[in-house]
Amino acid sequence: MRDECAAIRDEFDADLQSAVSENDLYQIKSKYLGRSSRLTSLIKSLKDLPAEERALTGSTANALKSSLQREIETALEAMRLTRKEQAIAARALDITLPGRRPALGTLHPVTRVTEKITAIFTGLGFSVVDGPEIELDFFNFEALNIPKDHPARDMHDTFYVSGEQLLRTHTSPVQIRTMQRMQPPLRILCPGKVYRCDSDISHTPMFHQIEGLMVDTHVSFSDLKGLLTILIHRLFGQETAIRFRPSYFPFTEPSAEVDIQCVMCRGNGCRVCSGTGWLEILGCGLVNPVVFKNAGYDPEEVTGLAFGLGVERIAMLTYGINDIRLFYENDLRFLSQF
Ligand code: DAH
């Protein structure tokens, strides 16, 4: 019987050696300790042995049984630990690696230029106001001294929503809306989207303008020149030469267009300025008395200045962008440069 115990032990050792999984160990457990195992039947048959032999064999068999139990538990524990370690290693986290930076967005160049210009004028006492993009013919044209049969309407290729409603072609209608609800003196700035039926390398059907209006008792052309000179010097640098060129807008009298020395060639003449050395950047003038009347102000009491500029144009000159369509293609390679 004790030889039988030794045989079981040898076989068990060999099996345990070759076990590679927890499942193998459970099978070994049932093979050597299960109800129908050799060891269990051996222990059951002890009672049939003579008394002196029973004691000795009994203790050997029981010692073997608890030894096998212990060894299996130890092997199982070791295998569970390895499995855990392997799982941890499989999703290894290397805390010495540099962290991944979250991709940060940037402000759109049109937003940047709008914010810069807004900051300059709010610093000069102007407030920012808003107006609707779907506008009435009255505010977009009529009240701005552009009557239905006026040739100036040809300057705007308009998207009409209905007979009287249209997508505003400029931010100037906000002048009228503001004067109708506020009394002078006032200084306002209106940045916003405008729409024209136009599309090529320098025109998109939607673009951005900033309208400025200042009304008081003694606003003069010198104020206009002073304000716009500050604006241009802050945008393009103190050394930038500026010229006011007589022009015509129905809502201002006198009217002017402002040119700056070409920022690309510094006035020597290049492709961007068509060889002239100058770039046109905005329209301006003193508010036409007719516009004051249309808005409910007394032209004998107040004078005013107004100006309007295209944001994309300023952004193109600031950043050296040659195609306006780049602003609206949402190409991150372009946008992330700003
Ligand atoms: N509204 C004009 C345009 O869209 C720009 C403009 C010119 C606005 C002269 C003004 C101004 O306020 O005084 O082209």
Side-chain angles (χ1 to χ4, degrees), residues 126-187:
F126 281 68
S127 322
V128 175
V129 296
D130 214 358
E133 286 170 32
I134 298 176
E135 188 51 284
L136 293 173
D137 181 286
F138 174 77
F139 293 107
N140 196 81
F141 292 128
E142 208 79 34
L144 287 164
N145 198 28
I146 317 175
K148 290 217 175 354
D149 57 353
H150 197 288
R153 284 205 187 192
D154 291 341
M155 283 158 61
H156 306 293
D157 228 349
T158 310
F159 289 112
Y160 283 91
V161 175
S162 68
E164 282 304 302
Q165 288 179 320
L166 44 89
L167 298 185
R168 68 179 177 192
T169 59
H170 51 176
T171 40
S172 305
V174 184
Q175 288 189 20
I176 310 293
R177 289 184 173 273
T178 308
M179 288 192 277
Q180 279 191 348
R181 74 187 162 83
M182 283 163 66
Q183 286 308 303
L186 54 88
R187 292 177 199 193

Side-chain angles (χ1 to χ4, degrees), residues 60-76:
T60 311
N62 280 314
L64 179 62
K65 185 179 174 183
S66 29
S67 169
L68 297 193
Q69 270 168 343
R70 226 180 311 113
E71 282 168 51
I72 284 184
E73 281 315 316
T74 314
L76 267 175

Side-chain angles (χ1 to χ4, degrees), residues 23 52 55 115 126 139 172 175 228 234 296:
N23 205 25
E52 62 281 15
E115 287 188 356
F126 281 68
F139 293 107
S172 305
Q175 288 189 20
L228 295 178
R234 297 223 183 133

